[in-house]
Structures are given as structure tokens and as C-alpha cells.
Amino acid sequence: MQNKQDKRIRLKRKIRAKIVGTAERPRLTVFRSNKFIYAQLINDMVGKTLAEASDVKTTKGTKTERAKEVGRAIALNATKAKIKKVVFDRNGFKYTGRVKLVADEARAGGLEF
């Protein structure tokens, strides 16, 4: 019997086979752990991270509040790097909860998916 981790990794591979980040439209990937949430803008053509944000250094607020802050931070870092359009990669996680909050706040911050 497979556990949730194996199922998420299989789903992640299927998603990654369909989407690719470029310099003009990098991939916005979100990783969620039990404690933290991370977001990165990645150019897959050269394997380079263009911008990143996480809540590792933030201890105040709930997980959902920190997820919103990560969404705002990745949008701000993307505008500093002159990036407006991205491809969203949910990294095998369901598009609900904190993953959705990061995406919504990134959209509100000016990123186009």
C-alpha cells in the first residue's frame, strides 16, 4: 500500500512533465512542509532560481497568515526581477489551503498565471 508521500511524488512527476519554466515565463513552484511554506521562481532552461520566498525566519502568525505573506513576498521579488507572467506548479499538493493562499496573494501582487 502506498503512503501519501509516494502518491504526491508520482503526481508531482506527472505535473512536471507537462510544464516548463522559461526566462520569459518562469515556473512558480510551491513546497509545503508541516511547519513552513516555500515559493520559488525557476527558469528550467538553465536550472536557475530567479526569486524565492519562505516563512522560515517568520515565527509570528498562523500558518495561513504566513502563507499569505510568502505569496506577497514572491510577487514583490518577481517584480524586482521584472517578471510578470509565471507558470504555476503546485508540486503535487492539492490546490487548497496554504498552497491556494500563496497563489492568490501572488496574483494579487501582480503576477499573471
Side-chain angles (χ1 to χ4, degrees), residues 59-77:
T59 57
K60 294 183 181 180
T62 63
K63 290 181 189 177
T64 56
E65 291 168 350
R66 294 193 322 243
K68 288 180 183 180
E69 187 59 38
V70 169
R72 286 189 285 268
I74 196 69
L76 180 66
N77 292 344

Side-chain angles (χ1 to χ4, degrees), residues 17-71:
K18 297 175 188 174
I19 62 172
V20 175
T22 62
E24 299 83 29
R25 194 169 177 142
R27 176 172 54 101
L28 170 60
T29 183
V30 177
F31 178 78
R32 176 182 63 88
S33 70
N34 286 337
K35 288 187 176 183
F36 305 112
I37 193 155
Y38 309 86
Q40 289 183 326
L41 290 174
I42 302 170
N43 179 353
D44 289 318
M45 297 298 165
V46 293
K48 184 177 176 185
T49 300
L50 306 174
E52 60 86 23
S54 71
D55 67 341
V56 173
K57 295 181 181 176
T58 307
T59 57
K60 294 183 181 180
T62 63
K63 290 181 189 177
T64 56
E65 291 168 350
R66 294 193 322 243
K68 288 180 183 180
E69 187 59 38
V70 169

